[in-house]
Amino acid sequence: MTKGKKELKTNKNKKKRSFRNTLWILVGIGACLFMLLTILSDVLEVGEKLRKAGDIGVYLEWGFYILTVLLLYVLIINPIRIILFSPSFSVVTVLDEENEKNIRVYKRIVNNLVDNNYINEEEKTVLKSCESAGELREELTKVFNTSIKKDINKIIFSNAKTVMLSTAISQNGKFDMYTVLAVNVKMVKEIVLKCGFRPSYPKLGKLTFKVVSTALVAENLEGLDFSDIFPQSTNNVLADIPFIKPIAASFVNGISNALLTIRIGVITRRYLFSDGNLSNSQIRVQAIKESLKMIPDVIKEVLVYFPSKIVNGLFKKKKNNEGSESTN
């Protein structure tokens, strides 16, 4: 009787897990369709405006459509295609059966790592000498948690810096949205290529939802009011400098977008390996912690591109507070 109850409970858990997985896949597909419809709406709106630009309006319109399709393929569709057609693999599935399918997947991943020189000669030799799926899995786990993990963090850092700089300079919410979307898709593709495998389809559905949500947040951040973001001392320092207020507000937008980009990159990495026993909430919490640790270095590198008056104004209150504390 007890055995029957356990089997019934196991079957229920499997059905729940299957339902959740299917739901996240549908959510991911829905997020993709929503973003494609958003892009289509914006493209048609711009095309309509170009059509009214005199005699050459029609040619400008169709030229814009062609350029948009090319950019959409290069920046969005092709990276998604690469991600979807990569093999699915979980480093932490130590109890998997050593069947032929697993061995083929492991060897495909090893060949990708070797062919692209993602690992050193010693690691290549060890991986090539493995014969069983168990040995391959164990050695791959070691490689992923050492050299590959460091490289992935570099990829995350680089893309976060790109997002921060681009959206900080930009004064347009739509541009920010598409920049964040394109860079995040590119980042996930680079992480997948670096590892040689992708997250499962349900996890890809979650990632798709997070990427689209981040892009929409990037667009809405443009509406933040400068006076609500910065302290009064900063307002006073920058008030008389032309065009500085919107640039400084965009600087904060850039930081926010970079932080969200880091979070997506860390979640992608954690979906791929080392966190199979963690719940989704634990992965989110750890991703936030890692994001907060990484963002100061991103800000530090991006600051060199901004005028010193902006930088000094942004951090004036902090310095003044430190000075008053030391006086006390």
Side-chain angles (χ1 to χ4, degrees):
M1 189 70 178
T2 306
K3 185 178 180 181
K5 288 183 178 179
K6 286 183 178 179
E7 288 180 354
L8 184 63
K9 187 176 180 180
T10 302
N11 290 333
K12 284 184 177 179
N13 289 336
K14 286 182 179 179
K15 287 181 180 178
K16 285 182 180 178
R17 188 161 54 248
S18 176
F19 174 77
R20 285 198 301 267
N21 290 343
T22 303
L23 180 63
W24 275 116
I25 291 172
L26 293 175
V27 168
I29 293 172
C32 283
L33 291 175
F34 173 80
M35 184 52 66
L36 285 174
L37 289 174
T38 302
I39 293 172
L40 180 62
S41 174
D42 290 338
V43 168
L44 291 176
E45 183 180 347
V46 174
E48 186 178 351
K49 291 179 180 178
L50 291 174
R51 192 189 313 156
K52 299 175 182 178
D55 296 334
I56 61 170
V58 176
Y59 301 104
L60 288 175
E61 179 187 5
W62 282 102
F64 173 72
Y65 289 153
I66 293 170
L67 178 62
T68 301
V69 170
L70 291 174
L71 288 174
L72 189 63
Y73 177 79
V74 172
L75 299 176
I76 306 295
I77 296 175
N78 191 50
I80 291 176
R81 179 190 65 81
I82 292 172
I83 294 168
L84 292 176
F85 284 94
S86 297
S88 179
F89 172 69
S90 178
V91 173
V92 296
T93 53
V94 293
L95 300 178
D96 281 352
E97 296 180 4
E98 295 187 14
N99 54 39
E100 291 185 4
K101 181 182 178 181
N102 284 346
I103 295 175
R104 287 199 304 271
V105 172
Y106 299 159
K107 288 185 175 179
R108 181 177 170 186
I109 293 166
V110 171
N111 290 335
N112 177 73
L113 296 175
V114 171
D115 293 343
N116 292 285
N117 293 318
Y118 291 150
I119 54 180
N120 58 44
E121 293 300 324
E122 182 181 350
E123 290 170 332
K124 289 179 184 179
T125 303
V126 172
L127 288 174
K128 287 180 179 179
S129 64
C130 296
E131 296 181 357
S132 68
E135 289 177 326
L136 276 171
R137 185 172 53 237
E138 184 178 348
E139 293 302 325
L140 281 171
T141 302
K142 292 178 182 177
V143 170
F144 289 133
N145 282 294
T146 53
S147 55
I148 296 295
K149 184 176 180 178
K150 291 178 182 177
D151 290 339
I152 289 175
N153 285 341
K154 290 179 182 177
I155 290 172
I156 296 171
F157 185 89
S158 174
N159 284 281
K161 193 168 72 170
T162 300
V163 164
M164 180 177 171
L165 186 59
S166 301
T167 58
I169 294 174
S170 167
Q171 298 295 303
N172 185 282
K174 285 290 183 184
F175 178 83
D176 290 352
M177 180 179 72
Y178 292 127
T179 298
V180 170
L181 177 67
V183 173
N184 276 274
V185 171
K186 169 178 164 287
M187 177 178 64
V188 174
K189 181 204 73 174
E190 289 175 346
I191 293 173
V192 167
L193 288 177
K194 174 62 69 173
C195 292
F197 59 95
R198 60 167 172 78
S200 62
Y201 285 128
K203 288 181 178 178
L204 280 178
K206 293 180 184 180
L207 279 175
T208 303
F209 178 75
K210 292 179 188 300
V211 168
V212 172
S213 300
T214 301
L216 294 174
V217 168
E219 180 185 17
N220 293 325
L221 283 175
E222 195 64 32
L224 291 175
D225 184 73
F226 179 92
S227 301
D228 294 334
I229 301 172
F230 298 105
Q232 188 58 42
S233 58
T234 301
N235 291 336
N236 294 336
V237 170
L238 303 179
D240 298 327
I241 307 176
F243 308 113
I244 288 299
K245 280 193 174 184
I247 294 175
S250 290
F251 180 83
V252 174
N253 295 347
I255 294 175
S256 304
N257 293 325
L259 191 63
L260 292 171
T261 297
I262 295 171
R263 180 172 173 269
I264 288 175
V266 172
I267 288 176
T268 303
R269 194 199 72 219
R270 289 184 174 274
Y271 276 166
L272 287 168
F273 57 94
S274 299
D275 295 297
N277 296 321
L278 294 178
S279 66
N280 289 327
S281 60
Q282 288 174 314
I283 289 177
R284 285 196 299 270
V285 169
Q286 293 192 9
I288 291 172
K289 288 180 179 179
E290 285 198 52
S291 303
L292 293 174
K293 287 181 182 178
M294 197 179 295
I295 193 65
D297 292 328
V298 174
I299 296 172
K300 183 179 177 181
E301 290 212 10
V302 173
L303 281 176
V304 300
Y305 296 98
F306 285 83
S308 58
K309 284 189 176 182
I310 297 179
V311 177
N312 292 335
L314 290 172
F315 298 102
K316 180 178 176 62
K317 183 179 180 181
K318 181 179 178 182
K319 291 179 180 179
N320 287 342
N321 289 340
E322 289 175 353
S324 60
E325 287 175 5
S326 61
T327 304
N328 294 332

